[in-house]
Amino acid sequence: MKVYLTLPFLLLPVSTLAQTGIFREQQTLTAAEAAARAPAPANPASLIETLRFQVLQSSNKERARVGLPPLTYDPVLDQAAARYSRKMQDLNFFDHVAPDGETLSERLPSDKKWRFQSLGENLWSGKGALDWRASYIADKAAANWVESPGHRANLFSPDYTLAGVGSAMRGDEIYITMLYGTPVADENRALLQRDFGTAPANLTAFLTMLETVLAKELNAERARAGLLPLRSENNLVLNSRNHAQKSLIAQPAGSGVLDEVFRLDRTRTGRLAAGFWRGSGALIWQAEQIATDILNGWRNSQTGLDILDPEFDEVGVGTASDGNTIQVTVVFG
């Protein structure tokens, strides 16, 4: 008698979100070989619980063979993996894209995503005359992942340090999801990105606040150095704002701003200096954080010397934004 065991598995690399095909392995067993295997459990709860850690252990054995450190269990990834395995079981599908359109990017709850800078996912499913011991299933899943280039890339990625495993079972079929994660380098900044990752509706009010906060932080920096505060000067402010707006649209930062100030204020005899900052992409739209980022960037620059120059007693802070990029110009006089 021939008994067939089918093991389908596939991978969707998170870096490209490009789906690969489903690979299938089919084994033919004799009746004696099939009889020697442990039968499917009547109540799979114990098996499902054991596989949470057994698959991680088997995966770490494979990583150790190639000199990689073990993956650490993460409860957030674990819960998300378990939920997705149950979804495959309930909706009777096996894919990285669920029938309702859910993809890997939506695997984690929105309030948990901030903890990870990258994610990966391997899936495995077995059906038929499996040996239903947890150790066999876990070893088989890990071995199959090693044999597939895409799965192997996830399993052996040195970037992933965290993992979670979830399983679900229906009849003689089992689904396993293993999620891999790279934690964020700075959790405090990641939290700010979660809470302030989109531009505010009232950009004008935000930019006004940013100018006030940055001027305050500039003076706090001078106070720590024992220097007198800079006072805001209207002409410097107006020209800083004008320059920031021009730089945002087309003009390179640093071009022409001092000439414009001198042209409008011909009575000025003292020297001027200007500093510039531009932020775009994954901005944190919080005035205090942006001011901190600007000062951190300036501390080791020539502009950092301008901040602490005792000759300067006036300042103009100007900002501009299109909702995606923030341009800042600061003129010292």
Side-chain angles (χ1 to χ4, degrees):
M1 181 180 80
K2 293 182 178 180
V3 180
Y4 292 98
L5 167 64
T6 301
L7 304 172
F9 52 101
L10 77 166
L11 169 72
L12 176 64
V14 68
S15 57
T16 60
L17 296 180
Q19 184 175 330
T20 64
I22 297 178
F23 301 90
R24 296 186 183 275
E25 175 185 310
Q26 184 167 282
Q27 297 179 358
T28 302
L29 307 177
T30 67
E33 288 172 331
R37 299 191 169 202
N43 183 354
S46 178
L47 173 64
I48 297 304
E49 178 64 23
T50 303
L51 283 173
R52 290 174 58 204
F53 302 101
Q54 191 70 55
V55 172
L56 181 60
Q57 180 178 317
S58 296
S59 296
N60 281 333
K61 286 180 182 178
E62 297 292 349
R63 284 173 63 92
R65 289 191 179 102
V66 296
L68 289 171
L71 297 163
T72 301
Y73 165 81
D74 182 86
V76 172
L77 296 178
D78 189 81
Q79 292 166 15
R83 181 194 62 78
Y84 194 65
S85 286
R86 290 194 298 269
K87 188 170 189 174
M88 288 192 290
Q89 167 200 277
D90 294 342
L91 300 183
N92 191 24
F93 75 98
F94 182 70
D95 202 319
H96 287 280
V97 181
D100 61 5
E102 178 191 334
T103 64
L104 176 56
S105 64
E106 301 160 302
R107 210 69 85 218
L108 300 186
S110 57
D111 63 340
K112 304 294 184 183
K113 289 180 182 178
W114 65 271
R115 293 185 56 236
F116 304 93
Q117 65 183 36
S118 62
L119 292 174
E121 178 179 87
N122 281 354
L123 301 179
W124 187 91
S125 179
K127 178 179 175 62
L130 284 170
D131 185 330
W132 287 91
R133 290 173 297 167
S135 58
Y136 170 85
I137 293 174
D139 287 346
K140 187 64 177 174
N144 285 153
W145 289 336
V146 170
E147 293 165 2
S148 167
H151 295 77
R152 181 185 179 92
N154 269 355
L155 181 59
F156 290 161
S157 172
D159 295 332
Y160 296 137
T161 58
L162 304 175
V165 178
S167 305
M169 186 175 168
R170 183 185 66 248
D172 66 344
E173 186 167 13
I174 188 167
Y175 302 89
I176 296 177
T177 301
M178 187 166 190
L179 291 175
Y180 307 89
T182 305
V184 294
D186 185 338
E187 285 205 356
N188 289 332
R189 191 172 185 86
L191 274 170
L192 286 172
Q193 184 65 50
R194 182 195 69 179
D195 296 337
F196 302 97
T198 56
N202 191 336
L203 266 180
T204 300
F206 175 80
L207 293 176
T208 300
M209 180 189 302
L210 175 57
E211 291 174 357
T212 300
V213 170
L214 181 53
K216 178 180 177 181
E217 290 302 315
L218 288 171
N219 280 328
E221 188 83 354
R222 288 174 64 87
R224 285 189 285 271
L227 298 174
L228 293 175
L230 301 166
R231 65 179 180 276
S232 180
E233 200 277 328
N234 285 338
N235 272 344
L236 296 185
V237 171
L238 291 174
N239 281 275
S240 294
R241 288 175 177 170
N242 182 55
H243 181 267
Q245 186 62 45
K246 286 184 177 180
S247 296
L248 180 70
I249 298 172
Q251 182 177 311
S255 171
V257 61
L258 299 184
D259 291 338
E260 290 180 15
V261 174
F262 277 122
R263 194 162 53 245
L264 287 177
D265 188 359
R266 297 183 182 278
T267 63
R268 183 177 294 281
T269 58
R271 68 188 182 91
L272 295 173
F276 315 96
W277 183 89
R278 187 182 184 93
S280 60
L283 281 172
I284 296 173
W285 292 83
Q286 186 193 45
E288 291 80 4
Q289 184 59 51
I290 292 175
T292 297
D293 290 344
I294 293 172
L295 286 177
N296 285 340
W298 283 355
R299 281 190 177 100
N300 296 321
S301 69
Q302 183 60 45
T303 305
L305 299 178
D306 296 333
I307 295 171
L308 301 181
D309 191 326
E311 289 188 19
F312 292 133
D313 56 12
E314 296 178 336
V315 68
V317 179
T319 59
S321 177
D322 58 6
N324 296 305
T325 299
I326 297 176
Q327 181 70 46
V328 176
T329 298
V330 179
V331 179
F332 304 94

